[in-house]
Structure formats: C-alpha cells, structure tokens
Amino acid sequence: MGKENKRNISITGSTEFTGIRLKAPAPYAAGIPGVKTALQHAFKEMGVVRSLHGLAHMNQKEGFDCPGCAWPDPEKPSKLGEYCENGAKALAEEATNKKADAAFFARHSVEELSTWTDYQIGKSGRLTEPMLLRPGSVHYEPVTWEKAFSLIASELRQLDTPDEGVFYTSGRSSNEAAFLYGLFVRAFGTNNMPDCSNMCHESSGVALSQTLGIGKGSVKLEDFEEAEIVIVMGQNPGTNHPRMLSALQKCKENGGKIISINPLEEAGLIRFKNPQEFKGVLASGTPLTDLHLQVKINQDVSLLKLLIKKLAALDETSPQVFDHEFINRYTHGYEVLIGHLKQFSEKELLALCGVAEEHIDRAVELLAQKNKIIICWAMGLTQHKNGVANIKECVNLLLLKGSLGRPGAGTCPVRGHSNVQGDRSVGIMHQVSPELNASIAKTFGFIAPEKEGLDTVHAIEAMHQGRAKVFIALGGNFVSAASDTIYTAEALQNCKLTVNISTKLNRTHLTAGKTALILPTLGRSELDRKEGKPRFFTVENSMGKVHRSKGLLAPASDQLKSEPEIIGAMAHAYFEGNHVVDWEGLSEDYALIRAKLEEVITSFKGLSAKSEGSGFYLPNNVRDLDFSKLPNGKAQFSCCPLPDHQLKPHEFLLMTVRSHDQFNTTIYGLHDRYRGVYNERRVIFMHPDDMRANALEKLEVVHLISSYDGKERKAYNFLVIPYNIPQGNLASYFPETNVLVPYNHFADQSHTPISKSIVVTLEKASHV
C-alpha cells in the first residue's frame, strides 16, 4: 500500500494480483479481434443503441471529436466508422450508463475508494452533481453549484498572493474552454498554468521552437501518402494512436518504407489488419515495418548520430546524399555539426545504441536514396533528461536530407490527448508571451501578469512546500499522470482547497486537499444546449488543423455544466460581477468566446466560419520554409551530447509504457492483448538473460526500487515476464510505476519528467 495521510488514504491503491494469463505476443494489430473488443466495451457500458448512435457520429464532420487521442481525421471520413478500438473504449468510458452519484459517495468513503485500483475507480461511472469533501470528513456530499462557486471565490480571495493558486489544464478541454480558463487565470493575477504538455511533449515544443521556429509538427495527414520513408521512433501507434496505422498502410501501398525505432517490437508496427478491408478481415493484412531498429532505452541520439555519420561518409563520395542546396539556403550550423560528429567513433556509437550493424547499414542505404522523409515520435523520445536533444537530433537528420517544407516530408510529434495542442495554441502556458499579454490588454482592458508561472513539476514542489495553497484542475487525473506519485499526492493534500472539473471519478479526487470539490462537466460526446439550441466547440488535432466538435448523446445528468459555464461562473463569483470582462456572457455564448479569441490570437481569424466541415490549418512557418524569426533567419543544426547513463551492477533502465487496454491514466481493462498479458497490470518486462543473471524465474514477484538524491522510492509486487527487450532495460505500465519517477529529475530546458529512463534495482519479494 502507499503512504497514508490523516484521512488514511492509500495513495497508490491496491497492489494485489488479479490472476495473470500469458500468451504469445500478437503478430498484428486491429482486425476482427479489435472490432469485437471495441463493440464489447461499448455495448457493456452504453447499451447497443446508444453505442451505435455515438460511434456512427464520432470523428465525423457534423459529429464530435474522439475524446481519446489527437490523430487527425481524413478529408473524407469513412462512412463505416472513423474510429479505432481504443477510441470506442474512450467513448464507452465517457458515455457509460453507470453513475457515481450522491448515493455512491454515501456508500463509499474516500478511504475505501483509495484502496481500489485505478481500473476499479474508473469503472465507478459518471459524476452527476457537484460534490464537497469537508475538512476532516471522509465522505463527499452533494453541494449546490452556487455554494461551490462561492467557496472557490472565498478561498481564492484569502490567498496572500495570486501565485499561491495553481491552475492545471488537461488536453481534453476545448479551445473555447481553455481560452476562457487562461483568461480567468491571468485576470486573477498569475501565470501558474501547468498543463499536461509539461509531462509529455514539452521537450518537442522546446526543441522544435529553437531549431525550426514553431513548437509543433510540420506534416499534414496527406503527407503520409507521398512519403518515401516514415521513421516511427519511441512510439507505439497500435495502442496509443491506432488510426495512425491507416496512414502508415497508405504509405506502404504507395511504395513507401517504414523504419521503426523502439526498445520493444510492437504488434501495431509489425502488421495491420484494417477491419474495413477484405484483406484486413479474411486475409493477412498489411505488413508495415520494413526495418526495426531495437535501440536501447534512451540511446536514440547515439543511433541517430551513427546514421548521420555514415550518411556523411557516403556524401563525401556522392554529394547527392545530403540536400546541399537546401542546407545552404535554409540552414545554419552545417559545418559545425559535421565537425562535431568527428569526435564520435562508429564503434562507440554502435555499442551504445545496441543495434546490429547490418540493420544500421540497411537504414543508411534506405535514407541515402530518399528525401521525402517523415519522422514521427512520442513519449519514448521526450520523457528523458536529454529529451530536447533527442528531438533536435531528429531535426538534424531532416535538415540534412532537405526533408522539410515539401510533400511527404517533415516533423510529426504525435500528441496524446485530443486537444492538448489546441490548449497551448489558445494560451495555456506558464511562460509569458508579451504579444499575448498586449492583445489581452487591447481586447479586454486588463493587464495580464508578467511574471513567469509554475510548470507541472515546480507546481508540485510549491504545493508540497506550502507555497501554493489552492489547486484547480480543468480535467485530467493529476496525481496519476504526474511523476513521484506519493510526493505529488502529499502536495495536493497540503492544499487548503482542491477543485477538479471532471466527467468521472479518478484517484486525484481521493488524494484531496483539506477541502475538496468535484465539479461534474459535460463530456465531449454529450449534447450541449442553451435555450434549446445546440452549441459546438472547436479543437485542434495533432497536425494543427482546427475543426468543430458537437455532441449529440443525452447528458449523464441534468445537473452537468459545460466547462466554459463552470469557468465563467467561477470568475463571476470571484470578481462578484465587478470586472471589465463579462464572464457570464462569454461562458454562455461560445460564439462570443470565439470572436474574442480571434481578436486576441490572429491566427484564429475567422474561427467560427472556417471551423465548419473539415476545418482549417493554423499557420505553420516550416511548411512555408520561413525561418525568419530564428538566428540568421535560418533553421538551426544542433550539436547534441550523448545521453549519460552510468549504470552500476544490478541496475536497470526502466521505461514506463501503456497497456493496450488504457489511454493515458484511464484503464479500460486488464488485458494487454498485443503483448500477450491478460488480466494483470503489475508486470515487469525483462530480457531472459537478465532474468538468469539475477536468478529470477518467470512470474516471480519483485519490488522495483529507484534511488535519487539519497531518497528511495519503491513500487511493490510486480511479476517478472521474459520478453524481447534489450538487456539492461525494463518496461512496466504506468501509472503503477510513476511512484518511482523523482519529481525533481526532468528533461533539461523542458522540465518533462524522466518517465522513460528511470534507474532501478529489483528486490525479490521473498526478501522482505
């Protein structure tokens, strides 16, 4: 069990096993099993009629955006259904018929609920009315919306400074809600706006901004059809972004090649059985990966340097390998980079990355011949101390090949939650933007704060030390998503007030402050009406396209409010109706929010009209090869150091991963079908030779221990599974292993937690 507090809360929940069954890892993704599993989840949670109605309208132009990942929709969505297995599971979770109502909270104390697993908590059902946890109480009880807003306003007014408030945002929120939320926080007087980007793609944003001038990717969905090579790095699209497999399939059908780079060989990149095609149902499907480079954890820089070094050697005899016309016209730092590479030997880099040399040479052969190259990546590159360097090394390769600003080429950071990129685009950030502040002053007539706010890891530290006293979350499951679970939970429990705007119960509601509020909100799929007329939101996908989302399912309760309505009511209560901004008016009229958003952020000009249908792309300087805002007006090459992992004997490097039955911290079920693990999450994947060297048997129980700065962190009770993973490396599911990630060890510059490269040791359970 986890550490306990005054309410006798178990911070990490149950560590009991649930009855593991093992099979061979799956040789393909999707197919009939994917369809069957998706419908089983949906029918169980929503019923047949509601499920079919919802699924038929998800990711359609006049429907609602999937509440799962941010993968873009094609121009012509499939009439058979534009969703994947995990998208169907996400809808089932949101639109479930189960209810976590007042009677539920009367039956179950927060002390009892905290002992449940994250899976059990998530299956409680939809929140139906505002709930209050009073100081010293162990039961949430109903509270009126008016009293809830009054309590929030009172606590905010009692703070000595606005910087004692922390305002978190998840990636599920719409552009309208996020813009209004950011506006309120700035009007309140702080930039303490940590968001989920801090924990995932912040490294991408920093690296891309410094090298290319925009913290987003440059490709469009159509580019995958023209790409000659797609490199998928540190990413498992079969589980995390399943609709991406359709794009990779089109790449292969048009003659493109796919190189996967990852410590694990994932089913989704081996073969894809598209359930909407004959060959995906009754035939063998489409083989995807042409070459898998099984890199050691966080040795991507070593691998990329080796590839570039070998390509540079070829370019000396055949100058067509690199695109020198592009390099000379659009880039800065080429000669310095080539000189930098000379300090590394091929033998050294080969040993570090752990990839067989014949596979390296095959990759070099492919890359030397092509320049329509897309590099895709996710958390496997960003969540390391050198996460920013990992992305910069990817940019180096693309710049050398001239693989930017042309069809079929570019950067593709694959975002997780469905509008995490949109949140940042409309102003959710802890950094100060003088341009944004000036626009806010011009449009709304108040001065936004000029002091930089707290990001996620520093907000946790401030709450733990008592320097921040009120925590408000617009969605998300903060305690389970963040690093250092016990420390983060203690930080929240130190707060005078915690407020969570949520659709469903999660562990953050249980690791509450002295006083806590749960404010239930409409889900993405639910009909949002005002005076009988339906309202719509907008969202931004992973490739920078903004489009509408309009729910249609009956809401879980008549007491639910939309996120803008909740934000506007909080602001109105705090300012007591005496402010230059008409908070209530904005919160009720989303068109008015969009009109103000257009004024403040000019790239959204014409938002309401242009978001109709398939939507519109926001400006992207890389697509236009415009690097005028960078030094010398050019894209920047980077000289990146090698990662530094000095492992001692019996130490391992652990990366946290998702099961196929989860999305972020939401656990849909207990089966990781693609890796062959059923009915269990407390597992550790380990190379058989490492097991033998450490005298470990299959399914033996171990504890995982990390030690940073003299502090030991322990995750209890994990079953060892022999698996195809590089020696010295381990993999295990989060959020169960987030307890091992130190809050104060994070990526340079981006402050993203090191969730993909944690130094750990193993301890046999029998030794305790």
Side-chain angles (χ1 to χ4, degrees):
M1 293 292 184
K3 187 174 179 180
E4 298 182 344
N5 76 333
K6 293 180 181 178
R7 284 194 177 112
N8 294 316
I9 298 298
S10 172
I11 291 174
T12 55
S14 174
T15 60
E16 299 297 319
F17 297 123
T18 46
I20 191 169
R21 301 193 311 274
L22 295 178
K23 295 183 180 180
Y28 66 88
I32 292 298
V35 175
K36 180 181 177 182
T37 303
L39 293 179
Q40 283 176 339
H41 273 262
F43 292 170
K44 180 180 178 181
E45 297 288 340
M46 304 166 60
V48 175
V49 174
R50 185 173 166 89
S51 295
L52 295 177
H53 184 50
L55 291 170
H57 290 82
M58 188 158 70
N59 295 325
Q60 300 294 331
K61 290 183 179 179
E62 295 304 317
F64 59 91
D65 199 56
C66 176
C69 81
W71 190 255
D73 305 327
E75 286 290 328
K76 296 181 179 179
S78 170
K79 293 181 180 179
L80 294 176
E82 190 58 51
Y83 57 88
C84 64
E85 175 186 340
N86 277 2
K89 292 176 183 177
L91 175 61
E93 288 288 309
E94 176 178 283
T96 179
N97 291 323
K98 298 175 185 175
K99 302 288 191 294
D101 53 16
F104 171 87
F105 286 105
R107 289 194 305 270
H108 304 292
S109 70
V110 292
E111 294 178 333
E112 177 197 349
L113 291 169
S114 74
T115 66
W116 294 8
T117 63
D118 291 270
Y119 171 63
Q120 292 171 308
I121 293 170
K123 291 300 180 184
S124 302
R126 282 293 299 275
L127 299 162
T128 61
E129 58 188 301
M131 302 299 294
L132 169 66
L133 185 64
R134 299 181 187 275
S137 176
V138 294
H139 281 274
Y140 275 100
E141 59 189 70
V143 65
T144 65
W145 281 107
E146 291 74 19
K147 288 183 178 179
F149 295 135
S150 177
L151 174 60
I152 295 169
S154 175
E155 291 291 344
L156 290 177
R157 290 193 200 102
Q158 291 179 47
L159 296 178
D160 293 333
T161 166
D163 290 329
E164 290 184 340
V166 171
F167 300 83
Y168 175 74
T169 314
S170 86
R172 188 205 66 200
S173 302
S174 65
N175 290 330
E176 289 80 358
F179 176 70
L180 193 64
Y181 191 56
L183 193 69
F184 167 54
V185 176
R186 290 182 173 91
F188 173 67
T190 186
N191 284 307
N192 286 351
M193 284 182 278
D195 72 318
C196 56
S197 288
N198 297 154
M199 295 184 277
C200 56
H201 267 293
E202 197 72 49
S203 296
S204 300
V206 171
L208 293 173
S209 295
Q210 292 178 358
T211 57
L212 300 178
I214 187 172
K216 303 179 182 182
S218 65
V219 301
K220 298 180 179 180
L221 186 57
E222 311 87 74
D223 287 320
F224 281 82
E225 298 183 36
E226 296 196 41
E228 296 170 318
I229 296 177
V230 176
I231 302 176
V232 182
M233 300 186 66
Q235 185 194 0
N236 177 16
T239 286
N240 301 333
H241 313 90
R243 288 193 300 138
M244 180 178 174
L245 300 182
S246 298
L248 296 177
Q249 180 187 24
K250 290 181 180 178
C251 172
K252 289 301 297 289
E253 290 173 345
N254 292 336
K257 302 291 185 181
I258 295 174
I259 300 173
S260 62
I261 302 175
N262 201 50
L264 299 177
E265 187 178 38
E266 303 287 12
L269 287 171
I270 297 173
R271 185 177 295 273
F272 172 47
K273 288 192 175 185
N274 191 330
Q276 297 192 5
E277 297 178 351
F278 171 83
K279 66 180 179 179
V281 176
L282 299 178
S284 60
T286 304
L288 293 182
T289 295
D290 295 279
L291 179 64
H292 176 61
L293 305 182
Q294 191 171 29
V295 67
K296 292 182 178 179
I297 290 176
N298 196 29
Q299 288 297 341
D300 303 275
V301 167
S302 306
L303 173 59
L304 289 166
K305 282 189 187 299
L306 181 55
L307 292 173
I308 293 172
K309 190 174 178 70
K310 284 178 172 283
L311 287 168
L314 287 177
D315 188 67
E316 290 181 2
T317 57
S318 178
Q320 292 79 31
V321 172
F322 290 160
D323 188 337
H324 289 277
E325 181 180 352
F326 180 94
I327 291 169
N328 292 333
R329 183 174 180 181
Y330 294 110
T331 74
H332 174 74
Y334 170 74
E335 296 296 340
V336 175
L337 174 66
I338 297 302
H340 165 78
L341 290 172
K342 293 178 180 178
Q343 66 182 282
F344 307 102
S345 72
E346 291 187 9
K347 182 178 180 181
E348 171 194 14
L349 297 173
L350 189 66
L352 286 170
C353 73
V355 179
E357 188 164 18
E358 59 266 30
H359 293 161
I360 296 287
D361 290 339
R362 174 59 179 150
V364 170
E365 180 184 353
L366 290 172
L367 292 166
Q369 301 168 5
K370 310 295 183 183
N371 56 21
K372 289 186 175 182
I373 302 169
I374 294 173
I375 301 183
C376 309
W377 68 87
M379 306 302 95
L381 291 194
T382 62
Q383 291 180 328
H384 304 278
K385 181 172 176 52
N386 62 319
V388 173
N390 282 336
I391 312 309
K392 287 185 173 182
E393 206 68 71
C394 293
V395 173
N396 282 344
L397 177 57
L398 293 172
L399 291 176
L400 290 167
K401 296 296 296 179
S403 299
L404 292 166
R406 67 171 72 197
T411 54
C412 184
V414 183
R415 306 284 174 168
H417 223 147
S418 55
N419 197 43
V420 60
Q421 188 160 292
D423 287 352
R424 185 59 59 88
S425 294
V426 301
I428 295 295
M429 56 185 170
H430 64 279
Q431 302 95 338
V432 177
S433 167
E435 294 81 8
L436 179 61
N437 282 5
S439 291
I440 288 173
K442 181 179 179 181
T443 301
F444 291 103
F446 72 86
I447 304 300
E450 298 180 353
K451 176 185 175 183
E452 182 168 309
L454 299 172
D455 58 20
T456 296
V457 293
H458 292 99
I460 294 169
E461 183 179 55
M463 289 187 289
H464 200 276
Q465 295 176 354
R467 293 185 287 110
K469 300 173 182 177
V470 171
F471 173 83
I472 300 177
L474 183 62
N477 181 3
F478 188 80
V479 76
S480 292
S483 55
D484 218 336
T485 310
I486 293 176
Y487 185 90
T488 299
E490 291 171 348
L492 290 172
Q493 291 164 343
N494 279 347
C495 290
K496 289 185 63 181
L497 174 68
T498 54
V499 181
N500 284 274
I501 302 169
S502 307
T503 57
K504 294 189 69 184
L505 185 68
N506 63 52
R507 191 166 296 281
T508 305
H509 305 140
L510 311 176
T511 54
K514 296 174 178 60
T515 300
L517 285 166
I518 301 174
L519 305 182
T521 187
L522 291 168
R524 183 75 61 80
S525 61
E526 290 175 315
L527 183 62
D528 182 357
R529 288 182 180 273
K530 181 65 178 177
E531 297 178 352
K533 296 182 180 180
R535 299 182 286 193
F536 70 87
F537 295 110
T538 62
V539 294
E540 179 185 347
N541 67 33
S542 194
M543 295 178 185
K545 177 177 270 192
V546 177
H547 62 281
R548 296 185 181 187
S549 178
K550 185 163 58 178
L552 63 130
L553 299 179
S557 165
D558 59 7
Q559 292 200 53
L560 303 183
K561 290 182 180 291
S562 72
E563 288 181 332
E565 287 174 332
I566 294 171
I567 296 161
M570 281 196 303
H572 182 79
Y574 174 75
F575 290 110
E576 298 180 311
N578 184 25
H579 194 257
V580 292
V581 177
D582 179 9
W583 298 104
E584 283 191 323
L586 283 172
S587 68
E588 294 176 357
D589 186 351
Y590 304 161
L592 183 56
I593 298 178
R594 287 188 286 273
K596 295 299 183 182
L597 173 56
E598 292 179 38
E599 288 185 48
V600 173
I601 303 176
T602 55
S603 59
F604 281 86
K605 194 69 177 177
L607 172 60
S608 283
K610 291 193 295 183
S611 64
E612 191 173 3
S614 62
F616 69 101
Y617 283 102
L618 293 173
N620 189 300
N621 64 285
V622 180
R623 292 174 187 151
D624 300 328
L625 292 177
D626 175 11
F627 306 111
S628 57
K629 293 185 178 180
L630 290 167
N632 303 300
K634 294 186 175 183
Q636 305 292 300
F637 282 107
S638 308
C639 296
C640 304
L642 295 175
D644 183 21
H645 298 293
Q646 302 294 326
L647 297 182
K648 300 174 184 177
H650 304 299
E651 287 184 336
F652 296 89
L653 209 56
L654 168 73
M655 65 176 182
T656 63
V657 297
R658 292 180 187 170
S659 157
H660 187 60
D661 238 357
Q662 76 179 98
F663 180 74
N664 291 345
T665 61
T666 302
I667 314 300
Y668 301 137
L670 300 177
H671 303 328
D672 193 351
R673 187 173 78 246
Y674 291 169
R675 298 190 184 108
V677 181
Y678 292 80
N679 204 43
E680 186 57 74
R681 290 185 52 82
R682 304 194 72 81
V683 299
I684 186 82
F685 298 101
M686 191 174 191
H687 193 283
D689 289 346
D690 285 334
M691 291 175 60
R692 283 188 285 271
N694 289 270
L696 291 169
E697 300 293 331
K698 180 179 179 180
L699 298 183
E700 188 162 354
V701 182
V702 298
H703 308 317
L704 310 177
I705 303 169
S706 69
S707 297
Y708 287 84
D709 305 324
K711 180 179 180 180
E712 184 178 279
R713 297 167 173 85
K714 185 176 287 190
Y716 293 91
N717 292 356
F718 287 78
L719 297 165
V720 178
I721 296 178
Y723 208 78
N724 180 14
I725 186 172
Q727 285 187 257
N729 292 173
L730 303 171
S732 190
Y733 303 131
F734 74 86
E736 289 85 351
T737 46
N738 283 2
V739 66
L740 300 168
V741 186
Y743 80 94
N744 56 347
H745 283 254
F746 39 72
D748 297 332
Q749 299 185 68
S750 71
H751 299 168
T752 301
I754 58 166
S755 302
K756 292 291 189 289
S757 54
I758 316 154
V759 178
V760 300
T761 57
L762 304 183
E763 176 183 82
K764 293 189 177 185
S766 58
H767 289 178
V768 180

